[in-house]
Amino acid sequence: MISFDQVLLLQKKVESAVQKIVELKSENDALRSKCSELTNALSEKTELLNSFTADEQKIESSIKDALNQLNTIEDTIVTQSGTKDAAASKTEQPASAAQPAAKPVNAAPKAPAAPVSNPVSPAPAEPQQSLDISTDKEETNSEEETVEEKFDIF
């Protein structure tokens, strides 16, 4: 049969099991609460991330639009500059064409009207400089031509 000592031992084991179950339920409730808090925090962070991503896309789109506008403006300026360069080169060509016409003036006249005391003819008037400073090479060429004309006395 079952002895009294065995019943007391069984009672102690049941009490300790009940106490352990209460502790585990308490711990389980705390863990469920913590899990719920973390799930809510994760949801908030996810919403915040989605909001930041949407804002980032809007900002990126705005920056791209601004860059496209700047590229359009740059292309317009380059196109206008190219048109001005072409107009300036057309304007410079008649001036260059007028310069060779000035050379016969520098040359000795075919029939001198009066004796010349100074055999050096006056230097031709310098061509008007264009306000367009499109390239250094064009200006250098026109300066070289002017220097050559100044020393061309015959």
Side-chain angles (χ1 to χ4, degrees), residues 102-114 116 118-122 152-154:
K103 285 187 179 182
V105 173
N106 292 341
K110 293 180 182 178
V116 178
N118 187 1
V120 178
S121 62
D152 187 15
I153 58 173
F154 297 107

Side-chain angles (χ1 to χ4, degrees), residues 1-98:
M1 195 89 190
I2 300 178
S3 70
F4 183 69
D5 292 334
Q6 289 175 334
V7 173
L8 287 178
L9 182 63
L10 182 62
Q11 185 178 2
K12 285 183 182 179
K13 287 184 179 182
V14 169
E15 287 176 0
S16 70
V18 169
Q19 186 179 2
K20 189 69 171 177
I21 290 171
V22 170
E23 289 175 10
L24 290 174
K25 281 186 178 182
S26 169
E27 184 179 348
N28 192 11
D29 289 341
L31 289 173
R32 286 184 191 268
S33 174
K34 184 71 173 179
C35 182
S36 177
E37 289 175 17
L38 291 174
T39 302
N40 290 338
L42 178 63
S43 296
E44 290 174 7
K45 301 296 182 192
T46 303
E47 289 176 18
L48 189 60
L49 176 65
N50 290 337
S51 173
F52 284 150
T53 304
D55 289 346
E56 180 183 14
Q57 289 173 349
K58 288 177 185 177
I59 291 169
E60 184 177 345
S61 175
S62 297
I63 290 172
K64 285 181 179 179
D65 289 343
L67 288 174
N68 287 335
Q69 289 176 352
L70 288 173
N71 284 337
T72 302
I73 291 169
E74 180 182 23
D75 292 344
T76 303
I77 290 172
V78 168
T79 303
Q80 289 175 353
S81 175
T83 305
K84 287 181 182 178
D85 289 345
S89 64
K90 287 181 182 179
T91 307
E92 289 176 10
Q93 287 175 353
S96 299

